[in-house]
Amino acid sequence: MNEGVDAFFREAFTQGWRCVKIIHGRGLRSVKGPVLKDAVIRRLLGRWRKQVIGFVSARQCDGGLGALYVMLRP
């Protein structure tokens, strides 16, 4: 999963994107809570910390709690 997130962010920076949406799904059968969402957030706050301005759950029409908007530094 980390390789996919890293490849996506490298592409985003190469293209000069300032805002991206990551769709991770909700995983409603998990008894531990949002496993993939937490993994993506850990990756954002770890390896990509300096390049990420912030992130928030998406609007309901864009995936709601199953997606994140991520603002990137130029």
Side-chain angles (χ1 to χ4, degrees), residues 14-49:
T14 300
Q15 297 295 328
W17 299 338
R18 299 291 309 276
C19 182
V20 297
K21 179 173 64 172
I22 299 176
I23 301 171
H24 48 73
R26 298 238 356 232
L28 298 176
R29 288 183 246 171
S30 173
V31 292
K32 297 181 180 181
V35 176
L36 287 179
K37 182 177 189 173
D38 289 348
V40 170
I41 290 172
R42 280 193 307 274
R43 196 64 173 176
L44 293 176
L45 296 176
R47 178 179 176 116
W48 299 103
R49 179 181 213 132

Side-chain angles (χ1 to χ4, degrees), residues 2-14:
N2 287 336
E3 297 84 17
V5 172
D6 291 344
F8 178 71
F9 276 103
R10 280 192 296 275
E11 176 70 15
F13 291 119
T14 300

Side-chain angles (χ1 to χ4, degrees), residues 43-70:
R43 196 64 173 176
L44 293 176
L45 296 176
R47 178 179 176 116
W48 299 103
R49 179 181 213 132
K50 293 181 181 178
Q51 292 89 355
V52 172
I53 296 172
F55 56 89
V56 66
S57 291
R59 298 180 308 163
Q60 189 63 36
C61 65
D62 283 337
L65 296 176
L68 292 171
Y69 297 132
V70 182

